[in-house]
Amino acid sequence: MKYDYGNLIDGVWQDTGQIFDTHNPARPAETVGRYAMADKAMVDRAVAAASRAAREWRRVTVAQRCDILGRYIDAIEAARGVLAAAITAEQGKTLKESLGEVAKACGESRYMMQHAMAETGSRHAASLRPGVRNLVVRRPRGVIVAITPWNFPVMTPMRKIAPALAFGNAIIVKASEFTPAAACLLGAIAADILPNGLVQILHGGPEIGNALVSHPGVQGVTFTGSVGTGKRIVAATASNLAEVSLELGGKNAAVIHDTDDLDACLDQVAQAAMMCSGQRCTAVSRVLVRRDLHAQVAAGLARRMAAMRLGDGSDPSTELGPMTHRAQLEHVRLSVDQARRDGAVVVTGGEPVRVPGCVDGYFYAPTLLDRVAPDSAAAREEIFGPVVSLISYETLDDALHLLNDVAYGLTAALFSNDARAIARFVDECETGMLHVNHGTVPDSHMPFGGIKASGVGAYSVGPGAAAFYTTEHSVYLGA
């Protein structure tokens, strides 16, 4: 066992009698960590400590806050090897991907400091009355609760911690019970650098999550995860009217309309689909291909996916790690079985895989489904695994209809050299993030979020985050 943590409350790690363990998804018999669950009394203490810390922190200038936050980010970067090992041990992704996750988290955090420096100042507004000066100012919102998922155990918490602190708030993080080690390490680093109570870490299931998001002392709730949980969070915050920012799921498509270099196109699509074993909200899970390119695309994707080496993420030769937990493996298996019953053809993969040296590991073969009916579950519902549904179309009108005819609206990609097709995609694609001639991998400084069932409230990254982490005030200064 590598990790043993309680709950970080007001700078002190606190335990309860109730514990839970985490396991290596490549070898589930291997216990990775042991953690203490929080209780409702701890929730009250954490919120009270966060309120005290927020009152003090908001008095610090934004420049000073960012200087301290910068030291925190530097310390995270210095601990990237330790953090990456924790990610891989509990989540399962390759160590290369885990190191990349830490690097991206630090990059996003530094960009958010720049946005905070730009957005927290007052601005003059035109006055309609003589002798009156008008200002618009932004203030820290207060106590923020962050509920984070298991697929990005460093990047998603930092996507919430960094802007919360830069804009002058305190934050309480409830990480997933499957991958809490990285959040605990982030909390331990924070405890060495930041004032007590500014970053706190609690563990627990839905009961603790509900107690946090509905607490009267909480002013904002940011959540990344499933649509169903997002809806429950919105309902829970009705009691305290906390502001919400929800980053939800996706059923993301890559549209292959025409291309001068099909190999380069398919390299990007395969990477965007298989990163994190498909367990990321921005993964490509649908490929919409013009019918005359269908055979080439199917063969090319199948070849790339079948060649991927599955294994323990800590093995440098591994290209694809396991599903993070047994329930997710079972969900992927059932989804593919349902696709078969709905008429889809498995071109490659389509079953769990036994990996030598990884007893009972949660591995599923990279899977390409062809002849997927547009109205089937495989074409419309999030699978969150290494599964791609291939769907053909005749015209660009058909492609745009298929692209938009799902509940989600997170991200999409178009591969085309046709200026008219690109213009229509940019104007008509119903997603928050649009990519042209490259895969669905976002930059660290660009707004990150979705529309429709993929997001509610301000985006997680970019200048728009100020709308969540701060409140806006109109000021009238008379003579």
Side-chain angles (χ1 to χ4, degrees), residues 162-434:
L165 300 186
F167 284 112
N169 306 280
I171 188 166
I172 303 169
V173 177
K174 190 191 88 65
S176 166
E177 305 95 287
F178 294 108
T179 57
C184 291
L185 291 168
L186 293 175
I189 296 169
D192 289 337
I193 296 171
L194 301 171
N196 290 340
L198 209 56
V199 174
Q200 300 180 91
I201 310 294
L202 296 187
H203 306 299
E207 182 182 5
I208 294 303
N210 187 74
L212 279 167
V213 303
S214 63
H215 197 286
V218 169
Q219 287 77 46
V221 176
T222 171
F223 166 75
T224 300
S226 71
V227 173
T229 303
K231 289 179 178 179
R232 290 193 289 274
I233 286 174
V234 170
T237 57
S239 64
N240 59 1
L241 296 179
E243 186 74 12
V244 295
S245 173
L246 308 181
E247 181 188 311
L248 306 173
K251 190 64 180 175
N252 313 303
V255 181
I256 302 178
H257 191 61
D258 64 271
T259 175
D260 290 337
D261 190 341
L262 186 59
D263 279 337
C265 165
L266 296 182
D267 285 345
Q268 294 191 66
V269 171
Q271 180 191 33
M274 294 294 112
M275 285 175 63
C276 199
S277 297
Q279 299 173 117
R280 64 186 189 104
C281 59
T282 54
V284 168
S285 62
R286 296 182 294 155
V287 173
L288 312 180
V289 57
R290 205 174 70 193
R291 193 169 300 280
D292 60 341
L293 292 173
H294 177 273
Q296 293 172 267
V297 168
L301 284 177
R303 185 171 63 253
R304 286 163 173 80
M305 294 166 69
M308 291 181 174
R309 186 180 187 279
L310 280 73
D312 187 330
S314 63
D315 183 340
S317 66
T318 294
E319 296 174 287
L320 207 69
M323 302 290 94
T324 299
H325 54 87
R326 186 183 300 278
Q328 189 59 28
L329 175 66
E330 184 67 5
H331 170 70
V332 173
R333 186 186 69 79
L334 292 174
S335 296
V336 173
D337 288 349
Q338 181 63 52
R340 284 191 178 99
R341 289 193 294 271
D342 291 339
V345 174
V346 175
V347 182
T348 188
E351 59 186 2
V353 176
R354 292 182 180 273
V355 174
C358 295
V359 178
D360 296 328
Y362 304 140
F363 296 95
Y364 198 89
T367 299
L368 179 63
L369 301 173
D370 200 359
R371 301 181 193 172
V372 175
D375 60 350
S376 67
R380 305 180 68 82
E381 297 177 9
E382 189 173 39
I383 297 176
F384 219 61
V387 180
V388 173
S389 297
L390 191 59
I391 304 170
S392 295
Y393 68 86
E394 296 288 350
T395 68
L396 183 61
D397 284 339
D398 296 335
L400 291 170
H401 172 74
L402 292 168
L403 175 65
N404 294 328
D405 191 31
V406 293
Y408 299 98
L410 186 58
T411 189
L414 170 71
F415 290 85
S416 178
N417 297 313
D418 183 336
R420 291 178 61 208
I422 293 169
R424 287 195 61 189
F425 174 77
V426 171
D427 287 345
E428 299 177 35
C429 175
E430 295 174 358
T431 63
M433 296 174 285
L434 293 78

Side-chain angles (χ1 to χ4, degrees), residues 445-462:
H445 69 297
M446 288 286 283
F448 186 101
I451 61 175
K452 298 164 68 173
S454 291
V456 175
Y459 281 12
S460 301
V461 182

